[in-house]
Amino acid sequence: MKKLLLTSILSLTIVSCSTRLGNASKVGKAQAPVTGTQWVLADDITNKPTLIIEQNRISGNAGCNNYFSDAVIDTSAGNFSAKNIGSTRKMCNNMTSETSYISVLQEVNKYVATETTLELYKDNLLLLKFNKQQ
């Protein structure tokens, strides 16, 4: 089950990279502000990770545990970074996917935002895609 979930996350990343090349041209350019927004991972899995962006801070749920971190978001260059992410320590069934999600989130350095989607990149490689939470 753990391997299946990890494979799903990696597959989403690969598929997203190949199907969303149109937004890759927007990486590194000015982006819409994302402060005060909430997002849910755009993947067909149970217990989808969430991302809440506040002023210089992010938080959310990684599938089981809550996480939090300081963040640096520069809308003029589309830069986004979260380092040293902390989390609660509940033991859950799918810790592998949660650990992978946090690890990938720490690699992000760019973002592209639209009204309904948030894409997080490492340089020009799409790592995570979120849908705006209503």
Side-chain angles (χ1 to χ4, degrees):
M1 181 69 169
K2 291 178 186 179
K3 288 182 182 180
L4 178 64
L5 197 49
L6 180 58
T7 302
S8 296
I9 290 173
L10 293 175
S11 296
L12 173 66
T13 301
I14 292 168
V15 169
S16 296
C17 290
S18 63
T19 60
R20 302 294 291 167
L21 293 176
N23 282 341
S25 65
K26 297 177 184 177
V27 173
K29 298 189 170 123
Q31 297 297 319
V34 290
T35 301
T37 58
Q38 296 183 20
W39 306 89
V40 62
L41 189 66
D43 194 359
D44 192 22
I45 59 172
T46 57
N47 300 326
K48 293 181 183 186
T50 61
L51 174 65
I52 301 167
I53 303 172
E54 300 164 343
Q55 187 69 31
N56 300 319
R57 189 149 179 81
I58 63 166
S59 61
N61 186 283
C64 173
N65 286 289
N66 294 322
Y67 68 91
F68 45 87
S69 175
D70 291 331
V72 177
I73 302 168
D74 176 9
T75 57
S76 65
N79 294 335
F80 182 106
S81 67
K83 303 295 181 206
N84 302 317
I85 298 173
S87 70
T88 56
R89 303 274 185 212
K90 293 187 282 186
M91 189 53 105
C92 307
N93 288 333
N94 77 18
M95 293 303 292
T96 303
S97 63
E98 186 165 302
T99 303
S100 296
Y101 171 75
I102 296 293
S103 178
V104 168
L105 189 57
Q106 291 185 104
E107 295 295 317
V108 170
N109 62 5
K110 302 282 184 190
Y111 80 98
V112 173
T114 68
E115 288 185 30
T116 58
T117 62
L118 173 67
E119 296 177 348
L120 300 180
Y121 291 81
K122 180 174 184 179
D123 301 322
N124 288 327
L125 176 64
L126 178 61
L127 299 179
L128 297 166
K129 181 180 176 185
F130 295 86
N131 291 322
K132 194 164 197 174
Q133 197 169 29
Q134 302 301 328

